[in-house]
């Protein structure tokens, strides 16, 4: 097993060497072990309990079987029907068909003569030799796009007709318009694996920042009613229910294949389900007809392939052609399984953030943004702060201080928004709204000192008693990075000594320092970050702070070292 790579709670995964990043991604226990070989181009996966590992060549009741076929459960009935034409009309004969989930076949000790999984990706993931162990002639025999299904009574909340987007689903969940979302386990289910990849693809198209895209995906992940459901069992639960409200609140919306939805709809159940195609991440389950390179009965396999007719597949709810504008499944399995591992290893964490905003006269000095346009430090801060409030999730508690000294007797900082849950009421609105209002109206006085050092010491002291298990507590300071012109000013060495002595490994409070403008003292902010196990960011783009926060939150959600 790979040795875990140890890193701090706020270390940036993008700062790690690529090989280490892959190793961190893989060093996670999901009942079994994920192992990467060949620089991430081949993945071998154990991901189910040993008791679930049925043999790929079952010793069935038909002793005359010579061609062992394993098919995904939903297409196995069609394959069995075709096999009967080669078995003299019966189930026993030279062709034996076993229905088996691909994750089980992928890790079984022996390979079948013919394997029809629910995605070509399983051929590359398989432990039994991978894609080189099979020959696939022609296109997949069937396809079925992943749809977002839900009780018809609530479908209008996230879809228009048969069209929707993963972004709409995420926004509806975050805004509490959708009562519940359920997902299959992406390490055990084809639907889950493909849906998670589609979600990541959709979020990546919604923003140029990879960290924010991942955080948006995890926003959906954090709101799931169940993250490891079985699609077939979900449909059985809905089919046996009679109360639409109970289904909407208990199961809600979930991804399944179009074929599974069609089969359900033909069952005449009490609670109707509606399926919608997510246009920003439409992805298909495909069903390759893969013949083992070691089988002695390839000719019989070819005859079986020919016997599986398109009308049989269409009648069973499958498509025999590819839909337009689908998201391609990546050839590299690390690109497919990487999001699945991140999704599966997600830890529910609460965040506690104290935001410190420099309100001194130096923030009115000129600056340029990343595009070279003239602006001021204060304007950059306003835009960065507003972007940051959008990144903070519902599980965040937050407070905000301004710090400056307009006269010698002024305190070093003032509380602008009291600390508490971000969606709790403050005044006439929520705390999130109060923060946005305060940042949007931010104006620094022309003459005011910068008690940066004292404010950071006070902020860490205020947040340290709040540190709790399964909670990330941090201080974020937005400044031009210079302490001075204040009765609280102190030599840099004195401050750093006090900062170092105040650190408590049992109650860490990392500081993320964001420096605005070309003359920001990034050296000092970097030292502060190093001392507190935080991060320093030079901000010339309003998105810099939101991006840094996203990376910090993603690092915190990673598997603990």
């Amino acid at each position: 097993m790979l040795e875990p790579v140890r890193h701090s709670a706020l270390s940036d995964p993008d700062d790690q060497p690529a090989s280490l990043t892959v190793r961190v991604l893989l060093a996670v226990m999901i009942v079994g072990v994920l192992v990467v070989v060949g620089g991430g181009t081949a993945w071998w996966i154990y991901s189910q309990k040993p008791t679930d590992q049925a043999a790929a060549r079952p010793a069935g009741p038909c002793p005359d079987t010579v061609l062992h076929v394993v098919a995904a459960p939903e297409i196995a009935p069609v394959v069995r029907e075709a096999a009967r034409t080669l078995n003299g009309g019966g189930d026993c004969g030279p062709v034996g068909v076993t229905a088996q989930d691909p994750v089980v076949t992928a890790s079984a000790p022996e390979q079948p003569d013919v394997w029809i999984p629910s995605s070509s990706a399983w051929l590359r993931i398989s432990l039994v030799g991978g894609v080189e162990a099979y020959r696939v002639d022609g296109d997949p025999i069937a396809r079925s796009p992943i749809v977002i299904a839900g009780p018809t009574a609530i479908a209008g909340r996230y879809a228009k007709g048969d069209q929707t987007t993963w972004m709409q689903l995420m926004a509806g969940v975050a805004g509490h318009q959708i009562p519940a979302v359920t997902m299959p386990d992406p390490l055990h289910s084809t639907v889950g694996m493909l849906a998670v990849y589609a979600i990541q693809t959709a979020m990546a198209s919604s923003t140029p920042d990879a960290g924010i895209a991942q955080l948006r995906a995890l926003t959906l992940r954090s709101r799931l009613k169940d993250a490891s459901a079985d699609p077939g069992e979900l449909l059985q639960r809905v089919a046996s229910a009679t109360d639409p409200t109970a289904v909407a609140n208990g199961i809600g919306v979930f991804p399944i294949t179009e074929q599974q939805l069609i089969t359900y709809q033909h069952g005449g159940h009490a609670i109707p389900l509606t399926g919608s195609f997510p246009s920003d991440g439409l992805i298909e389950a495909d069903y390759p007809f893969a013949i083992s390179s070691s089988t002695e009965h390839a000719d019989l396999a070819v005859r079986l392939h020919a016997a599986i007719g398109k009308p049989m597949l269409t009648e069973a709810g499958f498509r025999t052609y590819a839909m337009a504008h689908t998201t391609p499944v990546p050839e590299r399995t690390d690109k497919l399984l990487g999001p699945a591992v991140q999704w599966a290893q997600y830890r529910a964490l609460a965040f506690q953030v104290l935001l410190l905003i420099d309100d001194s006269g130096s923030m009115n000095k000129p600056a340029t943004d990343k595009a070279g346009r003239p602006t001021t430090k204060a304007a950059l801060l306003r835009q960065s702060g507003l972007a940051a409030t959008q990144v903070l999730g519902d599980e965040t508690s937050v407070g905000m201080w301004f710090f400056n000294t307009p006269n010698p007797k002024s305190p070093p900082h003032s509380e602008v928004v009291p600390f508490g849950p971000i969606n709790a009421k403050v005044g006439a609105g929520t705390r999130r709204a109060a923060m946005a209002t305060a940042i949007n109206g931010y104006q620094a006085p022309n003459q005011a000192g910068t008690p940066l050092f004292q404010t950071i010491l006070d902020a860490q002291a205020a947040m340290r008693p709040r540190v709790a298990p399964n909670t990330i507590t941090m201080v974020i300071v937005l400044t031009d990075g210079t302490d001075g012109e204040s009765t609280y000013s102190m030599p840099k060495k004195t401050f750093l000594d006090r900062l170092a002595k105040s650190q408590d490994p049992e109650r860490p409070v990392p500081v993320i320092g964001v420096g605005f403008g070309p003359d920001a003292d990034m050296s000092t902010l970097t030292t502060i970050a190093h001392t507190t196990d935080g991060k320093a960011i030079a901000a010339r783009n309003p998105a810099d702070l939101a991006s840094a926060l996203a990376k910090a939150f993603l690092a915190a959600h990673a598997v603990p070292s």
Side-chain angles (χ1 to χ4, degrees), residues 386 389 417 422-424 426 428-439:
L386 287 171
T389 63
V417 178
I422 195 165
N423 286 329
V426 173
T430 64
R431 183 170 276 101
R432 188 192 296 274
M435 288 180 59
T437 298
I439 293 172

Side-chain angles (χ1 to χ4, degrees), residues 212-226:
I212 292 176
Q214 290 179 11
L215 199 62
R216 286 177 179 171
L218 290 186
T219 295
L220 177 57
R221 170 64 180 83
S222 70
R223 304 295 191 276
L224 296 183
K225 176 73 72 171
D226 185 349

Side-chain angles (χ1 to χ4, degrees), residues 320-507:
T320 57
Y321 58 91
M323 290 188 70
H325 310 299
T326 56
T327 298
V329 177
E331 289 291 324
R332 283 183 51 177
T333 50
D334 59 322
K335 297 294 186 182
L336 180 63
L337 293 181
V341 172
Q342 183 188 53
W343 188 276
Q345 74 181 20
Y346 173 84
R347 296 186 300 152
L349 294 173
F351 288 88
Q352 300 183 130
V353 179
L354 182 56
L355 190 62
L356 312 179
I357 295 184
D358 188 336
D359 198 29
S360 64
S362 59
M363 292 299 293
N364 290 320
K365 290 182 179 179
T368 57
D369 63 18
K370 219 164 198 175
R373 293 183 294 263
T375 184
T376 65
K377 297 177 185 179
L380 279 176
L381 185 146
R382 279 193 296 271
Q383 296 175 68
S384 297
L386 287 171
T389 63
Q390 297 169 3
V391 171
L392 300 175
D394 288 352
E395 69 283 355
T396 306
S397 291
V398 64
M400 186 162 68
W401 296 356
F402 282 179
F403 62 95
N404 70 357
T405 50
N407 62 70
K409 295 184 178 181
S410 299
H413 45 77
S414 58
E415 183 179 72
V416 180
V417 178
F419 185 86
I422 195 165
N423 286 329
K425 190 170 183 180
V426 173
T430 64
R431 183 170 276 101
R432 188 192 296 274
M435 288 180 59
T437 298
I439 293 172
N440 194 47
Y442 168 81
Q443 295 288 340
N446 288 325
Q447 300 295 327
T450 312
L452 172 65
F453 293 163
Q454 186 62 55
T455 299
I456 290 175
L457 293 172
D458 291 348
Q460 276 211 315
M463 295 302 288
R464 191 164 288 115
R466 300 183 186 275
V467 174
N470 296 319
T471 301
I472 301 298
T473 303
M474 68 177 74
V475 169
I476 302 172
V477 55
L478 286 68
T479 182
D480 63 2
T482 301
D483 180 88
E485 300 179 1
S486 163
T487 54
Y488 301 95
S489 296
M490 65 186 78
K492 181 177 176 180
K493 183 179 183 308
T494 300
F495 162 67
L496 293 176
D497 286 345
R498 290 178 59 184
L499 185 67
K501 290 177 182 178
S502 69
Q503 300 310 298
D504 182 351
E506 299 299 320
R507 295 185 297 169

Side-chain angles (χ1 to χ4, degrees), residues 254-275:
F254 53 97
I256 53 174
T257 66
E258 181 188 48
Q259 187 272 340
Q260 290 173 314
L261 177 63
I262 290 172
T263 301
Y264 177 90
Q265 290 173 331
H266 286 171
H269 303 293
I271 298 178
L273 292 179
T274 295

